[in-house]
Each structure stands twice: as structure tokens, then as C-alpha cells.
Amino acid sequence: MKVQIENGPAFEVAAGEDSLLRGALRAGFDFPYECSVGGCGGCRFDLLDGPMATLWEQAPGLSERDRRRGKRLACQSRPQGDCTIRVRPAGSEPSGLPAAQRLRATLLTRRAVTPDLSEFTFRLPADVAFRAGQYALLYPPGVEGARAYSFSDAPGEPGAPGLWRFMIRRVPGGRGSNALFDRVAPGDAIDLDGPYGHAWLRPGAAEAPRDVICIAGGSGLGPMRSVARGVLAEAGTRRVHFFLGLRTQAELGAAAEVAQLQAQAGGERLRLTTVLSNPTEGLAWEGVTGFVHTQVEAALTALGRPFDAYDHYFAGPPPMVEALQDLLMVRQRVPFAQIHFDRFV
């Protein structure tokens, strides 16, 4: 099916493609998007002509005002024939990013990290490239639609060709995450689609490369561990300042994941700060308490360097992401090119 962009190029979408967004990206069109599962609204567009099916009528990425104006989400729309749409291309991604592919993958292992967070390792039928910090779509059995999860490893790690790893949190009442935990056992196969995402690790500058700030809240550990691994795999000397926000001492297994990276790096290139927002009384904890974004501001201020002396990557709950956007963009005026995150809601 042919999709024509108003006053722009046209591209073709395969009849079996599951959404306009995925078809556009696979065709090489730089469609704007963030979460790609209906939550953020980053892929809004206007349908000017042609048949288009809506996959999720109540997707939270559209406000009631958007719906009254006839806006649609590309990730929740499927062309039914030739169409004409209005959308502004993202225009920000460089060429050379790995192309997304939908493949059948087999679960090899599921390893517990905290009581409700596990790392899932899948084997793909081929070695599909991705960038540190990107994500993929997983299609849990018995659940309609896809769920987005970030890679928790870095590409090209020794002994891991054709393996994709994800940190997945079991969410109370979450149909997707509970299906992955309860219905997918080692040896089972599901569909994976990726890579996607804009928060991939950018290479350091040739001269005076900036150190990297990684800020993770909850399951944001996965993509931030991926970014940190990517930095440490570089031939250069860039350092990582890793801030990990957890709730209670029961989640400290997540900190052990980063501490292991720190030990492998010899403690010179990675510095870890763990913050508990609600430590359990009666259990030992002598570390920092409060919100992780507050500790980021205090720690970077204490280091005495301007905030724009770093590249900033972060992933976590929406309130944390919003607080960091305010801190970095509004109050510290860090250039947007040095701020990288994918918004999941």
C-alpha cells in the first residue's frame, strides 16, 4: 500500500505490516515517535485521504482534544489501502542506524534481579544489530498488541551474538508483563520487533569527550546499564556517573548489577550512587535517601562543573523523567543535543 506524505515523499507499507509507524520506519521514512505503543503521542498524524484502521481506540497518547481534531497515532493505525497523511518528519536521526526487524525469538533464561524485576535473555535466529540504549517491542502470548522494553546489554558483547536481553518488571495488573512472567518459559518462542528508540549512546567527541551521566529509576536500570556498558566498551576514557533510584532495600539487587560493572571497570571509569526513596525502617541503610533527581542536582553541583559538561541519559517513571527535564532543560539550560531519553507512560 502506498502512503503519501502531504507535500512530501511517498513510501510503501507491506500488507502484513502491523502498524503505519513500523511500516514507515522499515521503509526508511523518519516518522516521529517515542514509545511506539500508544502511550506518549509522539507519532500523531492527520489522515487526509484513504482507509485507515484504528487498533486501540482509547490509547492514552491522544487527548480528548486530539480526538476531536481527528488526530491519530501511527503506532495504533494500520493502512487498509493507499492513503495520504499529514505529518512532520522527525528529521533528527542520522543515517546508519540499524533497521528494525520483526523476528521469532526463543527465551533462553529468566534471571531474577529484584523480587519484581528479572532479566530475560532471548536468542534470535540471526544477529540483529542495535545501539546501546535502544528498545524493542515484545508480543506476549494471549495479549493484544506489543509492549516496549529496553535492551539491558550493549551490542557486540563477547559471547552474545544473536542474544537480546531485557530488564522486565512484573507490574501488578499489567497484562503484558504478567504474561511474560507466567506464560513464557525457557524454550518458548515469541515475536520481537526492533530496534527502536532515540536514546541510543552517541559516540564521544574526538577532542575533549564529555563524561556520561546515567540516571535510572526502577526498570530504567535496563537501558541505563546498556548505555553504561557501551561507554565502558569504548577505547576512550569517558567516565560514567551512574545514579540509581530505588524504593526500598529489597530492590538493592539492581544496585549489585551496576556494582558488577563498576568492579569490571576497576572502579576508575564508573561511579555509582544509589538512592532509596522509601527505605524500610529497621533494615540497614546508610546511603542516600530521597528522590534520585534531587541527588543528581546535589552531586553534580558539588563536583563544581557545569551541567553542560556532561552528556545526560535517563530512563524511569514519568515523574522522574519530568523532573529531570525541568532540571536539565529549564533550570540548567543543557543543550538538547546532550539530553537523551525515551518517554514511556
Side-chain angles (χ1 to χ4, degrees), residues 2-345:
K2 179 182 177 182
V3 178
Q4 176 68 53
I5 306 298
E6 183 188 42
N7 300 320
F11 56 88
E12 291 185 349
V13 175
E17 190 58 76
D18 66 345
S19 75
L20 170 62
L21 174 63
R22 256 87 80 187
L25 295 175
R26 271 188 261 276
F29 180 74
D30 192 13
F31 211 108
Y33 76 98
E34 289 187 47
C35 76
S36 77
V37 291
C40 72
C43 61
R44 286 190 298 268
F45 74 98
D46 296 294
L47 177 64
L48 303 182
D49 184 60
M52 185 77 67
T54 298
L55 307 177
W56 185 10
E57 291 283 356
Q58 300 304 316
L62 288 179
S63 66
E64 289 305 316
R65 182 171 182 267
D66 288 331
R67 290 187 172 88
R68 289 195 299 269
R69 295 169 62 198
K71 297 290 184 182
R72 295 169 180 256
L73 296 177
C75 69
Q76 300 302 322
S77 299
R78 181 183 294 142
Q80 303 293 289
D82 293 349
C83 300
T84 301
I85 66 173
R86 178 187 296 126
V87 65
R88 178 177 295 178
S92 60
E93 295 287 31
S95 60
L97 286 179
Q101 302 182 48
R102 182 163 175 167
L103 300 166
R104 195 76 173 164
T106 301
L107 179 65
L108 291 185
T109 62
R110 186 177 74 213
R111 178 177 62 87
V113 176
T114 73
D116 61 356
L117 182 71
S118 292
E119 184 174 57
F120 288 65
T121 299
F122 291 90
R123 180 173 295 282
L124 279 65
D127 190 11
V128 180
F130 65 94
R131 298 284 185 92
Q134 287 193 296
Y135 66 86
L137 303 176
L138 278 63
Y139 290 80
V143 177
E144 184 177 355
R147 301 296 188 272
Y149 296 103
S150 298
F151 296 104
S152 58
D153 56 355
E157 291 197 351
L163 299 185
W164 281 5
R165 294 186 173 94
F166 308 90
M167 292 281 189
I168 299 177
R169 180 183 294 281
R170 183 193 283 271
V171 179
R175 289 177 294 175
S177 65
N178 280 284
L180 289 169
F181 275 89
D182 297 336
R183 302 178 193 168
V184 183
D188 293 344
I190 66 170
D191 283 353
L192 273 61
D193 189 352
Y196 295 103
H198 306 300
W200 46 272
L201 174 63
R202 272 64 171 178
E207 297 182 3
R210 290 183 292 267
D211 285 349
V212 171
I213 306 297
C214 287
I215 310 161
S219 57
L221 167 67
M224 292 303 98
R225 193 182 71 168
S226 176
V227 169
R229 281 178 159 173
V231 175
L232 297 176
E234 295 174 345
T237 59
R238 282 204 294 177
R239 293 175 296 176
V240 178
H241 302 266
F242 202 113
F243 295 87
L244 178 60
L246 305 172
R247 290 169 296 181
T248 69
Q249 293 90 327
E251 298 178 343
L252 287 175
E257 296 288 317
V258 186
Q260 184 179 27
L261 285 183
Q262 188 178 33
Q264 293 170 353
E268 298 297 324
R269 293 185 60 193
L270 189 151
R271 177 178 179 182
L272 170 63
T273 301
T274 302
V275 184
L276 297 188
S277 62
N278 189 28
T280 302
E281 292 186 16
L283 295 181
W285 176 248
E286 298 180 356
V288 183
T289 60
F291 293 116
V292 67
H293 64 269
T294 302
Q295 180 59 28
V296 169
E297 183 174 18
L300 295 189
T301 299
L303 288 175
R305 301 180 66 195
F307 282 57
D308 62 8
Y310 308 92
D311 288 331
H312 300 264
Y313 295 81
F314 49 93
M320 185 203 86
V321 170
E322 292 168 5
L324 288 168
Q325 287 178 280
D326 177 69
L327 169 64
L328 299 174
M329 299 178 189
V330 179
R331 291 194 279 131
Q332 294 295 333
R333 298 187 179 277
V334 176
F336 189 71
Q338 294 172 225
I339 300 173
H340 310 286
F341 65 97
D342 280 314
R343 185 158 50 111
F344 298 99
V345 294

